[in-house]
């Protein structure tokens, strides 16, 4: 099969790697334009582009695929991408966290299959891994689905479940689902080659939407129950990083656990280091175990306290 691949971050790069190593012919890779990143804000290629170029694949980076865009440059690039796709005579497009909307004109060229990091119809949308942890879900998974114009509304082809452990962050769960998605898309295309890839409509019940994560959400409100904040700390690790103000300084909180304790919300109840930093919440208390001050490194609580004493302070 000739497979056009569309994706951008590491989640997608895992699938591209597995398809390539499985021997599928990949005549074109679509990915987002290079973006400024890092402290120097230098342009950086996506993880998908880096893999594709390292393995001799053709890469296209249109700003849009919508030929009816009101932005002339976007419309020109979309038209060029569309003409390139028409000339390829490919069998299927595989999409994983691409970041651009596929218009009807693209969907009509060849079947489009998406790798989605949730158990659809739960958590349609941009941030399914973050939202599953934040909501306290006990399991998630990967759905291989057919694409249509609606937001993650297409029929389901394959689905596998993964338990969400108490120690999971978005980072660790992402890695599990990325590996699973790569394996599943190879399995799906093998079945498709044999004419054995079925599809069932998504159920109408249980639809939820995973809105894109904003940096503003990562500010912790210690008047909320400790369990809510614990889930948010895990959900926002590694991006955008949960944080609170201590002594007027923004402190990022990378890892935490639940514990007992009472006091005014945000009050530091204990700052013994080896046992973590205990902070009172609206209900219960949070034990902070890994923190970071501005310009510093992520540190275990004991190391953090050596340069940033918290005794007598409160988080707000």
């Amino acid at each position: 099969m000739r497979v056009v691949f569309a994706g951008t971050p590491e989640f997608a790069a895992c699938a591209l790697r597995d398809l390539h190593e499985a021997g599928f012919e990949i005549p074109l890779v679509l990915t987002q334009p290079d973006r400024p990143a890092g402290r120097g804000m230098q342009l950086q290629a996506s993880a998908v582009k880096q893999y594709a170029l390292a393995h001799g694949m053709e890469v296209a980076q249109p700003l849009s695929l919508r030929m009816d865009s009101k932005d002339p440059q976007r419309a020109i690039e979309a038209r060029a991408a569309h003409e390139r796709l028409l000339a390829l005579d490919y069998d299927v497009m595989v999409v994983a966290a691409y970041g651009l909307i596929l218009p009807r004109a693209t969907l009509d060229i060849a079947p489009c299959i998406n790798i989605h990091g949730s158990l659809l119809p739960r958590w349609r949308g941009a941030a399914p891994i973050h939202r599953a942890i934040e909501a306290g879900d006990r399991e998630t998974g990967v759905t291989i689905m057919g694409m249509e114009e609606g937001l993650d509304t297409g029929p389901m082809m394959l689905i596998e479940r993964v338990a969400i452990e108490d120690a999971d962050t978005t980072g660790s769960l992402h890695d599990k689902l990325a590996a699973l998605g790569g394996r599943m898309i190879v399995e799906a295309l093998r079945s498709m080659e044999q004419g054995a890839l079925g599809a069932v409509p998504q159920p109408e019940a249980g639809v939820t939407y995973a809105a894109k994560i904003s940096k503003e959400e990562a500010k912790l409100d210690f008047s909320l129950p400790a369990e809510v904040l614990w889930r948010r700390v895990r959900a926002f690790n590694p991006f955008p990083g949960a944080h609170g103000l201590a002594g007027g300084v923004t402190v990022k909180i990378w890892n935490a656990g639940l514990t007992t304790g009472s006091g005014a919300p945000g009050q530091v109840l204990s700052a013994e280091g080896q046992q973590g930093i205990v902070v009172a919440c609206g209900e219960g208390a949070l034990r902070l175990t890994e923190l970071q001050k501005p310009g510093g490194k992520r540190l275990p609580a004991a190391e953090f306290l050596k340069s940033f004493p918290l005794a007598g302070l409160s988080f707000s």
Side-chain angles (χ1 to χ4, degrees):
M1 294 183 71
R2 288 167 57 82
V3 180
V4 168
F5 187 88
T8 299
E10 186 61 35
F11 182 89
C14 289
L16 177 60
R17 178 201 63 214
D18 285 359
L19 289 170
H20 176 248
E21 292 181 352
F24 288 98
E25 183 181 354
I26 304 172
L28 180 66
V29 171
L30 299 173
T31 191
Q32 290 256 12
D34 298 358
R35 306 290 189 196
R39 291 188 177 181
M41 296 302 286
Q42 298 294 314
L43 286 179
Q44 182 171 316
S46 71
V48 162
K49 180 180 178 180
Q50 292 177 46
Y51 184 90
L53 293 181
H55 294 84
M57 301 175 192
E58 180 184 344
V59 174
Q61 298 176 272
L63 290 167
S64 173
L65 292 175
R66 301 189 68 91
M67 293 181 287
D68 60 353
S69 174
K70 295 181 180 179
D71 182 319
Q73 184 59 40
R74 289 175 181 266
I76 289 170
E77 292 192 18
R79 193 170 297 109
H82 184 71
E83 292 173 357
R84 182 73 186 102
L85 290 172
L86 288 173
L88 282 175
D89 190 29
Y90 58 98
D91 299 295
V92 62
M93 178 183 286
V94 170
V95 181
Y98 180 27
L100 292 184
I101 295 173
L102 269 60
R104 170 54 58 189
T106 302
L107 296 173
D108 284 345
I109 297 174
C112 296
I113 299 178
N114 181 241
I115 308 169
H116 187 75
S118 83
L119 301 174
L120 290 171
R122 187 162 177 79
W123 302 127
R124 295 174 178 173
I129 302 175
H130 299 77
R131 299 304 183 190
I133 293 177
E134 183 187 19
D137 292 1
R138 301 312 304 168
E139 66 174 5
T140 184
V142 170
T143 304
I144 305 296
M145 56 174 288
M147 295 189 70
E148 52 188 36
E149 288 186 283
L151 178 63
D152 298 328
T153 58
M156 302 181 296
M157 298 166 171
L158 292 177
I159 190 164
E160 290 198 26
R161 299 174 182 272
V162 171
I164 300 178
E165 308 292 343
D166 285 350
D168 271 325
T169 64
T170 288
S172 66
L173 192 55
H174 165 281
D175 292 349
K176 295 177 188 178
L177 297 182
L180 177 59
R183 176 176 63 77
M184 289 175 65
I185 192 60
V186 170
E187 178 184 342
L189 295 194
R190 293 292 188 219
S191 296
M192 189 177 183
E193 285 180 315
Q194 299 166 10
L197 183 62
V200 296
Q202 293 184 37
E204 296 182 3
V207 174
T208 58
Y209 290 92
K212 185 178 180 180
I213 302 296
S214 69
K215 291 184 178 180
E216 290 72 24
E217 292 181 79
K219 173 70 165 62
L220 297 182
D221 177 358
F222 284 88
S223 68
L224 296 173
E227 184 169 351
V228 171
L229 300 185
W230 171 62
R231 296 198 303 257
R232 289 184 181 178
V233 168
R234 294 162 50 222
F236 300 149
N237 181 353
F239 176 84
H243 64 271
L245 285 176
V249 177
T250 298
V251 175
K252 285 204 170 184
I253 301 164
W254 292 109
N255 277 300
L258 297 174
T259 188
T260 57
S262 61
Q267 179 185 355
V268 176
L269 303 177
S270 173
E272 298 179 359
Q274 296 296 336
Q275 302 302 316
I277 300 159
V278 179
V279 181
C281 303
E283 294 178 16
L286 206 59
R287 187 183 302 277
L288 314 183
T289 57
E290 186 180 13
L291 305 94
Q292 182 181 12
K293 65 182 180 180
K297 298 179 180 179
R298 294 170 57 158
L299 295 172
E303 293 299 313
F304 179 83
L305 288 170
K306 290 179 181 179
S307 60
F308 200 109
L310 286 172
L313 296 181
S314 292
F315 279 87
S316 62

